[in-house]
Amino acid sequence: MTSAPSAPSALDVLLSRASTDHLVAPAPDKAQIARILSAGIRAPDHGKIRPWRYVVIKGKHRAAFAELVVRAMIAADPEVPEKKIQKRRERFSEMPMIIALVMALRPEGKIPLDEQKLSVGAGAMNVLNALHAEGFGGFWVSSDFAGEEVFRAGLGLEGAQTLAGFLFVGTPEKPVTGSKRPDIEDYMAIWKGEPVAFGADR
Ligand SMILES: Cc1cc2nc3c(=O)[nH]c(=O)nc-3n(C[C@H](O)[C@H](O)[C@H](O)COP(=O)(O)O)c2cc1C
């Protein structure tokens, strides 16, 4: 008699995550994405700032969102090459789901902005891991045009709200192996009362 393979442990899930932007439908449904984003707001958060906001773009609204992205790119650089515009337009209208990672920062008060941003980053990482745990895939991309007023107004960003990028979300087209990871021994050190040095920096 053969026994059923055991389910991967939580650590197995973390150790097997890798990014992919080769994403197809389905994206998480309404209940799934709410649960996945709930992992995001498990991030450590000094001072209960709760700086994470997630804007979900999906379905028929992706085309209009892609046009907003294009308007912002042109506002940021009127000379932006048409090829770059077309590539972004395609990506933002064809990804099964996009999540804008909003950082709702509180510059007033005593919690350093860096700590607030780190909390948003930690939340985003939790979302990527939760996507992977549920059989979906994700890819974090930059939002260099997101400071443009046309984009801020279109998304509804106010005051000190700004973006930490976007997550492209969907189902991996094929199994994701990801790039080879470096040896952890080069990135850790045990402090024994003397300054440490890392193999990675040699
Ligand atoms: C804040 C942030 C922004 C990123 N922006 C981009 C981007 O615009 N384009 C890109 O190709 N990769 C970008 N990356 C890297 C990818 O998300 C991904 O981490 C990388 O391709 C390596 O894949 P891995 O997550 O499997 O190591 C970004 C990563 C972070 C954390």
Side-chain angles (χ1 to χ4, degrees), residues 46 49 105-118:
H46 190 185
I49 299 288
L105 304 174
R106 288 213 216 142
E108 74 290 349
K110 55 182 186 323
I111 307 300
L113 282 175
D114 279 353
E115 292 188 7
Q116 299 180 37
K117 291 178 184 175
L118 285 167

Side-chain angles (χ1 to χ4, degrees), residues 67-150:
E67 293 314 313
L68 180 61
V69 166
V70 167
R71 287 204 298 280
M73 287 172 74
I74 294 169
D77 175 11
E79 312 272 280
V80 61
E82 184 56 35
K83 214 170 147 190
K84 192 171 172 186
I85 290 182
Q86 200 45 32
K87 192 174 171 210
R88 285 249 176 97
R89 178 180 276 129
E90 276 167 25
R91 267 157 90 76
F92 279 87
S93 50
E94 287 171 9
M95 284 294 159
M97 177 182 276
I98 299 146
I99 298 174
L101 300 167
V102 179
M103 303 194 279
L105 304 174
R106 288 213 216 142
E108 74 290 349
K110 55 182 186 323
I111 307 300
L113 282 175
D114 279 353
E115 292 188 7
Q116 299 180 37
K117 291 178 184 175
L118 285 167
S119 181
V120 174
M125 190 66 244
N126 264 9
V127 172
L128 285 173
N129 280 322
L131 285 165
H132 173 55
E134 296 296 293
F136 296 105
F139 197 99
W140 190 344
V141 291
S142 311
S143 51
D144 44 346
F145 48 81
E148 297 303 320
E149 199 39 55
V150 62

Side-chain angles (χ1 to χ4, degrees), residues 174-187:
K174 51 182 194 295
V176 187
T177 46
S179 59
K180 189 178 177 310
R181 305 288 150 162
D183 187 345
I184 187 56
E185 294 299 332
D186 288 335
Y187 290 84

